[in-house]
Every structure is written in C-alpha cells, then in structure tokens.
Amino acid sequence: MKKASSFEIVAARCWNLLNEGKPFTPIFVVGVFLLFRIGHWTDVNFWSSTLAGFICVLPLFVIYYLYDFPLFLRNYLWLPVVASLLVWDPENLLLYALALGLFFFFTVYFWGTFYYHLRIGTSWWNFKRFWKLVLKNSDSTSGNAQEQMPKFLLLLFVWNHYYSLFDGFGSWDAFTADAYENLLPLTIFIACLWLYSYILHANLFDWKPKETSPLTNNVTVPDKAPNEKVIVIVIDGMRKERFEEADAPFLKKLRAEGTEYSQMETVYPARTVVCFSSMFTGTYPREHGIKSNMVWSLGIKVESIFDSLRKAGKKGRLLGIAHLIDSMGDDVESVTAVMHNDVADRNIIERAKLIMAEQNPDLLVAQLIGVDQTGHSQGVLYDEYLRKIAEADRLTEEFVNWLEERGMMRNTTLIICADHGQADGIGGHGHLDEGERYVPFFLHGPSIRQGHRIDEKHSLISMAPTLSYLLGAPYPSHSRGPVLTDALKLHHNEVS
C-alpha cells in the first residue's frame, strides 16, 4: 500500500482551507465577489473601490471567523441578514444568485460527487443524495448550508453596497466627507453584530465537555510493564448507536469478554486530527495546540505517548492518513487516502501486518477510515454505513488472528474505539451534535477485567496515560486524563 506522497500531504492541507468553515467563508466570499465582476479587472478604479469596500466589511469577516454558529445557533444567523436589508437597499441580485449557485455546485457536485468519485470511488450520481446531506449538516464546515448561506450572503451584501457607494464617489476623501451618513450605520451594525454574537455564545454555547485540571496522578506507572504490546484500532467516525445496529460479531465479542466504557466522551472540537492529538497526548486542544483539521502551526506542543515510549526504550507507530502527520509528524506511518473506499481498510490492515512483521513495535495504533469516509460521502443513516462497520469488524478479526498466529497476542492488550461519532448530514463532526459525542470504547486482553462495564463518564484523553501504564512508560508531560484503572486486573488484584 502506498504511503501518502508529499503532494498528497500538501493537497490535504489545501483541501482543509475549503473544508473547514472558518477559512472557507472568506475564501468563498472573495472568490464570488471577484468572479462576479471579472470583466472589470483591467480597471484600476475597480480595484480601489473593491479594496475600500473590503476594508469597510473586514470587521464582519473577523466576527464570523471568530464565532462559529453550529447546531441550533445557525438559526440565529438570519436575523443579521434581515437587519442589513432594513438598513441598506438590496442591489445586484444576480451576485447573490451566483453565490448560491456556486455554493451548491461546490458542495453538492464538486465535493460530494466529483471529489469523492476521484478520491474514494463513489458514484457519479452521488449528488442525488448529497444535496440533502448538505442541507442537514450541522457542524461548522463548508458543507453546512444553513450556516454558510446567511454568512456569505450578509458579507457579500454589505461589501457590494460599500463597493458601489465608493465607486460612485470615486475617491476615499469624497466617500468619508459624509462619514455620518456613509459609515455610522456600518459602525453601529458591526457593533451590534459583535454584541449579538458574543451574547449568543456566552449564553447558549454551553455543550463543551468539562475539562479535568490536574495532571495524571491517580496511579503510578508500575516498575514492570503489565503488557508487552498494545494494539489500538481506531475506527474513525464510528457512531455509537449505529455500531450497536451493525453486524459486528467479533467486535461485540471482544467487548463482552473485556471491559467496556459505555460513556466515553470525545473532545471538543471533535475533528479527527484534534481527537487523535488529544488521545495520544492525554490533554486538551488548548494545550496540545491542534484545534481543527486545519493545522496552521505543524506539530503538537506537548509530549505524546510516542515520546514517552522512547524514554522507556520502546517504540510506537501510528498508522493513519496524511492529516495526522500535521500533528504527530514522524511518528505517523502514512497511508494514501486516494483509493477506492471498498479497499481502503483492507489496504490499511495489510500495511499494519507489514509494520508488525518488519518493525514489531510495542504500540501500534491503526486508523481504519472506511466508516468515516462512508459517513461523509453517503451519510450515517443509510445501509452503506452499517456495511462499512461490518467490514471493519471482519478486518479486525483477521488482523487479530494474524497476530495470534505469530505469538504477538500472548501478553497484549487490544483497545477498540472511535475518535468521534458522526451526525446526520454529511457525516458532520466537530461540535458534538447527536451521534458525535460518545464513542465506542473497550479493552480486551490478559491484563483486562472480563465481562466488565463502566457506566461512569470518561474522556478519550485517558487513552495516553492508560497506554503509558500498560507499557511501563512515563506519562506524557501534559497528560491530564486518569488511567482507566477500573479496566485493569492488576489494579483489582485479579491476576490469575
């Protein structure tokens, strides 16, 4: 299986500029505005008027960059649009029609059909379903129509108004000569929008998980490691209740014979690179520095479990797609994400076998991507999503049997989990809508209590310190999650 090429790594970062809602909104608005007036590009006055109008509207861009409006908050975005129509007269309706047309072309056809066909092999007819997914999506990505539409329409409306106004005056001095009439309404509108956004987020944005403050201290790392190896299978984007509905006998057998954490909570925002960074550092985005899939400053800012293992003279590898390199760097064994979704997880398992045979690491983390990609491209409430979970079940069974045949499971803990769930729509995840927040999580092996279930709420940040405990390595420097001692035989004096 091919590794992610340098081109793919750069392309993945560029795609995040269009996928993540924060950078998409200004990129899309600027692009639409310039495209609408493409015939004026040779006119110097056009550029001066465009720049002047942009300066006027820039504070609105900043407000919408700072404040997401996911989930039910997006319903409040239409009030500023209505208010702007009461303050300024609408004009150039074709501009807004162009914006709506280009948005749905980008999301439904370019992204939902063309992009997914070329990258993972979805049908050329995927747009027939994808338009419904875009309208349902509730997370702050570019594919959230109900958030993006009022944002880009308002920005284009105000920008276009001040572009036309400045174009009529012809100079900045003439424009500002009557600042009371031209700039006072805008100043008041900007102040009101900022206050409106602040009040909404201060009072209604209340669904973030609570964070624990002390460093990991609930148990000391034993002098002798309980395990020789730990294998972690992360089934990316596996929604908890859909896992229950899926035909996954092997995974459910492991869960029944091991210890399950039924209230395992992901981190906020629940984006893949953020979740992996938190899982394998033991701390929150505010500390490790990865706050979205769009990583502006490469590399985590704290120690990871892989650093801890090196201190103990041990080795860990993370097998995953190119996105993860942005946070975990050289600890990632990258795989290309440009392959048909029907063979993606099969290829990842084959690569995992190769890593175990050639490198024999003490810790292997393997990211299965088929479930997540199916949720994003075809939705989580359809049969295709359940079939991908069933496929992950069969491949995990095959991999575990392969390890057992080679004696690699004698003193090994197996951890199965998801990094986040997925919401309705385009498999959205990030802001903890229904289906995103709690994830499947269970452990199995000779060191793990059998037939045990813990219903107390826990966080995925407990992954790293638990791995440290099992492998006899120091806790990562900023690890705040408690070790999952309720799952351990050693902690409960149940060693046979």
Side-chain angles (χ1 to χ4, degrees), residues 8-193:
E8 183 179 342
I9 293 169
V10 173
R13 292 169 183 162
C14 292
W15 174 248
N16 277 328
L17 288 170
L18 298 178
N19 179 265
E20 294 288 332
K22 284 181 181 293
F24 170 80
T25 305
I27 290 172
F28 180 75
V29 169
V30 171
V32 169
F33 188 92
L34 294 179
L35 186 61
F36 181 71
R37 291 185 168 85
I38 192 171
H40 299 161
W41 287 10
T42 56
D43 185 356
V44 175
N45 291 330
F46 162 75
W47 292 105
S48 61
S49 299
T50 296
L51 179 60
F54 181 78
I55 291 173
C56 291
V57 81
L58 182 59
L60 298 180
F61 277 95
V62 173
I63 291 171
Y64 279 161
Y65 189 88
L66 294 176
Y67 290 104
D68 289 320
F69 287 79
L71 313 187
F72 68 88
L73 285 183
R74 58 190 177 172
N75 297 324
Y76 293 91
L77 280 168
W78 288 106
L79 186 58
V81 176
V82 173
S84 69
L85 293 172
L86 296 176
V87 176
W88 299 289
D89 294 329
E91 52 185 297
N92 291 116
L93 296 180
L94 286 177
L95 171 63
Y96 316 120
L98 175 66
L100 291 168
L102 287 176
F103 175 75
F104 282 104
F105 173 80
F106 167 75
T107 56
V108 175
Y109 189 78
F110 181 82
W111 176 3
T113 306
F114 181 77
Y115 167 80
Y116 276 134
H117 178 80
L118 293 183
R119 212 196 95 193
I120 63 174
T122 54
S123 166
W124 282 113
W125 297 98
N126 201 48
F127 62 86
K128 294 197 299 181
R129 181 187 297 178
F130 206 79
W131 71 270
K132 293 181 286 187
L133 305 182
V134 169
L135 289 178
K136 289 181 181 179
N137 186 37
S138 58
D139 280 309
S140 288
T141 68
S142 57
N144 182 344
Q146 293 184 59
E147 178 176 357
Q148 289 297 331
M149 286 192 299
K151 280 186 172 181
F152 68 67
L153 287 174
L154 173 66
L155 293 168
L156 283 170
F157 174 61
V158 179
W159 187 2
N160 184 66
H161 172 81
Y162 280 91
Y163 161 83
S164 300
L165 199 61
F166 187 86
D167 192 47
F169 280 104
S171 71
W172 184 260
D173 289 339
F175 172 74
T176 57
D178 194 353
Y180 179 84
E181 180 179 345
N182 296 330
L183 292 177
L184 183 60
L186 177 63
T187 303
I188 294 173
F189 186 85
I190 290 170
C192 289
L193 181 62

Side-chain angles (χ1 to χ4, degrees), residues 131-421:
W131 71 270
K132 293 181 286 187
L133 305 182
V134 169
L135 289 178
K136 289 181 181 179
N137 186 37
S138 58
D139 280 309
S140 288
T141 68
S142 57
N144 182 344
Q146 293 184 59
E147 178 176 357
Q148 289 297 331
M149 286 192 299
K151 280 186 172 181
F152 68 67
L153 287 174
L154 173 66
L155 293 168
L156 283 170
F157 174 61
V158 179
W159 187 2
N160 184 66
H161 172 81
Y162 280 91
Y163 161 83
S164 300
L165 199 61
F166 187 86
D167 192 47
F169 280 104
S171 71
W172 184 260
D173 289 339
F175 172 74
T176 57
D178 194 353
Y180 179 84
E181 180 179 345
N182 296 330
L183 292 177
L184 183 60
L186 177 63
T187 303
I188 294 173
F189 186 85
I190 290 170
C192 289
L193 181 62
W194 173 82
L195 184 61
Y196 179 70
S197 302
Y198 175 80
I199 291 173
L200 285 177
H201 284 72
N203 293 279
L204 299 180
F205 207 106
D206 58 358
W207 54 83
K208 293 183 182 180
K210 292 182 180 179
E211 297 185 0
T212 57
S213 54
L215 296 176
T216 302
N217 61 5
N218 64 319
V219 63
T220 57
V221 175
D223 294 332
K224 182 180 179 181
N227 286 157
E228 293 178 15
K229 296 184 184 301
V230 178
I231 306 293
V232 181
I233 305 293
V234 182
I235 304 175
D236 197 317
M238 184 166 67
R239 180 165 165 159
K240 187 175 173 62
E241 70 268 26
R242 296 296 272 166
F243 169 60
E244 299 298 339
E245 299 168 18
D247 177 25
F250 182 71
L251 293 176
K252 292 174 182 178
K253 179 175 177 287
L254 290 176
R255 180 178 64 178
E257 294 176 352
T259 295
E260 176 192 8
Y261 284 82
S262 64
Q263 295 291 306
M264 182 60 73
E265 191 175 33
T266 189
V267 296
Y268 180 91
R271 305 291 280 160
T272 294
V273 183
V274 180
C275 295
F276 270 77
S277 300
S278 287
M279 280 196 289
F280 299 110
T281 63
T283 190
Y284 300 100
R286 61 178 169 81
E287 268 190 329
H288 61 61
I290 307 299
K291 298 180 180 179
S292 77
N293 281 352
M294 184 67 249
V295 179
W296 298 103
S297 178
L298 298 181
I300 51 175
K301 298 178 181 178
V302 299
E303 287 183 355
S304 71
I305 183 61
F306 305 103
D307 297 315
S308 296
L309 288 172
R310 279 188 282 272
K311 290 181 181 179
K314 298 185 176 183
K315 182 178 182 178
R317 301 303 290 158
L318 169 54
L319 175 62
I321 58 174
H323 285 324
L324 300 179
I325 296 174
D326 292 351
S327 63
M328 294 294 177
D330 293 338
D331 290 314
V332 176
E333 292 270 350
S334 70
V335 298
T336 180
V338 183
M339 55 183 159
H340 199 289
N341 204 33
D342 287 344
V343 300
D345 286 349
R346 157 60 61 192
N347 290 340
I348 289 170
I349 289 297
E350 293 303 321
R351 178 74 175 279
K353 293 176 183 176
L354 189 64
I355 292 171
M356 294 303 296
E358 294 184 349
Q359 301 181 38
N360 194 25
D362 304 282
L363 168 67
L364 175 69
V365 180
Q367 176 199 22
L368 299 184
I369 62 175
V371 172
D372 184 71
Q373 292 188 154
T374 299
H376 285 309
S377 60
Q378 297 180 285
V380 300
L381 301 183
Y382 295 87
D383 290 342
E384 294 94 336
Y385 186 78
L386 292 181
R387 287 198 289 269
K388 274 298 162 189
I389 296 176
E391 178 185 299
D393 175 82
R394 309 299 187 266
L395 290 171
T396 302
E397 181 178 20
E398 176 188 319
F399 183 50
V400 172
N401 289 338
W402 184 90
L403 292 170
E404 287 177 341
E405 290 170 2
R406 286 153 182 78
M408 293 181 173
M409 292 297 292
R410 280 193 298 266
N411 188 16
T412 297
T413 289
L414 181 64
I415 301 177
I416 307 291
C417 70
D419 52 340
H420 53 75

Side-chain angles (χ1 to χ4, degrees), residues 53 269 359 452 459:
Q359 301 181 38
H452 194 54
S459 170

